[in-house]
Amino acid sequence: YFDKSNYLTWLASSILMGNRDTINQNFALYQPKDSDKFYFLPWDYDGAFGFENQADQKAAGELYAPWQITVADWWSVPLHRRFLQDPKHLAELKLAVEELYNKYLNEAKIKAKLDSYQTLVQPLLFTTPDKTFLPIISSNAQQEWQDEYARIAKVTKQHYDYFLASLESPMPYYQAVELLTDNTIRFGWDKSVDLQGDSVSYKLQIATTPNFSNIVKEQTLAQTEVVLPKLANGVYYLKVTAKDSKGNSQNAFDTAIIGGKKYFGVYAFEVKTNEIVGL
């Protein structure tokens, strides 16, 4: 149902440019008249090229979980997940990423493009209205812009390295907590898929603090659920870490936001007398 060449080019370019906000938006699906194929049309790259590492974004705190800066960012989408699980298709994606990087999106190519615009753009940055609205956080706007200018050219190489490294790690998953009729608690999570087929084990941790400084239960398991006695009423935090047989690890999709701070891979829940509520 999808044109494979188009799909590979769209996904590979999203990986290299770091256009991560493409899970369920920022693209169009186009089906030409009299065609049985869909095509991805790219749109909206304002969050690409390491947007999360701009000075103002870094100062505001971590924007993305570690898995989001890798190919695992697309894992929750059935199409991408099915494609990546096929070794033949994964090999094709690796070739597409390599070709796009070497031919079009390497540091030298991007720097040349940046340099071609520099003399046009630079004079406008420090006059009204740009100087009023640019997200500058330091007292030296010129230097901050120069740092950003230099950073952008190196971004695709970083993303290329992230992509290759992420293929070695298990994929992320969702966690859940359920109160059973016998007043026990089931802790469950999806199976973490390892693209190399390595065996995966899970370390379950339950704590009363989101940073896991006060762990009340810790257990290593081969299965994807465990039933434990009911905890005392109160707020708890669950973190299941998947690890393959080579030592590569992965956390869950879940993120707990406590006091405005993000805790990646953490599922927050409250135990009450007759129910468990996800927070």
Side-chain angles (χ1 to χ4, degrees), residues 5-103:
S5 177
N6 165 264
Y7 172 77
L8 284 168
T9 304
W10 175 82
L11 184 55
S13 62
S14 296
I15 288 168
L16 286 170
M17 288 188 270
N19 196 25
R20 301 183 179 94
D21 193 18
T22 50
I23 306 307
N24 54 14
Q25 60 180 8
N26 293 339
F27 61 87
L29 286 178
Y30 170 61
Q31 186 180 34
K33 185 179 178 181
D34 300 325
S35 172
D36 61 354
K37 301 286 186 182
F38 282 99
Y39 293 78
F40 279 82
L41 301 184
W43 175 72
D44 193 355
Y45 278 70
D46 63 348
F49 280 96
F51 170 79
E52 69 278 5
N53 288 321
Q54 290 181 181
D56 63 316
Q57 293 298 316
K58 291 191 73 172
E62 288 184 281
L63 181 62
Y64 292 124
W67 57 266
Q68 287 178 284
I69 64 172
T70 70
V71 71
D73 185 52
W74 292 272
W75 186 251
S76 64
V77 180
L79 169 65
H80 307 323
R81 184 169 64 248
R82 291 175 63 183
F83 192 87
L84 292 168
Q85 285 189 84
D86 186 316
K88 176 186 174 183
H89 292 159
L90 184 59
E92 290 173 328
L93 178 60
K94 289 172 69 175
L95 288 174
V97 170
E98 182 178 2
E99 180 181 11
L100 282 182
Y101 176 74
N102 288 330
K103 288 186 177 180

Side-chain angles (χ1 to χ4, degrees), residues 58-221:
K58 291 191 73 172
E62 288 184 281
L63 181 62
Y64 292 124
W67 57 266
Q68 287 178 284
I69 64 172
T70 70
V71 71
D73 185 52
W74 292 272
W75 186 251
S76 64
V77 180
L79 169 65
H80 307 323
R81 184 169 64 248
R82 291 175 63 183
F83 192 87
L84 292 168
Q85 285 189 84
D86 186 316
K88 176 186 174 183
H89 292 159
L90 184 59
E92 290 173 328
L93 178 60
K94 289 172 69 175
L95 288 174
V97 170
E98 182 178 2
E99 180 181 11
L100 282 182
Y101 176 74
N102 288 330
K103 288 186 177 180
Y104 308 108
L105 291 172
N106 55 64
E107 182 175 349
K109 294 276 189 179
I110 294 170
K111 187 176 184 307
K113 185 67 70 174
L114 283 167
D115 290 345
S116 71
Y117 291 122
Q118 185 177 19
T119 56
L120 174 66
V121 172
Q122 189 168 3
L124 305 175
L125 295 177
F126 308 106
T127 58
T128 303
D130 290 50
K131 70 176 184 180
T132 304
F133 295 104
L134 280 174
I136 302 296
I137 65 170
S138 71
S139 59
N140 190 338
Q142 290 271 4
Q143 185 59 53
E144 192 169 323
W145 181 76
Q146 288 291 346
D147 292 343
E148 179 69 5
Y149 181 86
R151 182 191 67 80
I152 288 176
K154 302 178 184 299
V155 164
T156 55
K157 177 60 167 65
Q158 294 171 350
H159 293 165
Y160 180 74
D161 293 340
Y162 290 155
F163 167 70
L164 293 179
S166 70
L167 300 181
E168 299 297 323
S169 297
M171 293 292 106
Y173 39 90
Y174 285 105
Q175 305 162 116
V177 182
E178 177 186 14
L179 182 64
L180 302 179
T181 55
D182 62 358
N183 218 33
T184 57
I185 300 178
R186 184 184 75 87
F187 296 89
W189 51 94
D190 301 320
K191 179 182 178 182
S192 178
V193 175
D194 187 276
L195 298 179
Q196 280 71 45
D198 300 326
S199 60
V200 178
S201 61
Y202 307 93
K203 183 170 77 171
L204 173 141
Q205 294 176 301
I206 303 166
T208 57
T209 51
N211 63 356
F212 286 76
S213 60
N214 186 30
I215 296 174
V216 298
K217 179 67 176 179
E218 184 171 291
Q219 187 174 349
T220 299
L221 305 144

Side-chain angles (χ1 to χ4, degrees), residues 248-266:
N248 302 300
S249 62
Q250 183 63 270
N251 289 324
F253 285 121
D254 307 283
T255 297
I257 303 177
I258 311 298
K261 182 176 180 180
K262 295 180 180 179
Y263 295 88
F264 298 120
V266 176

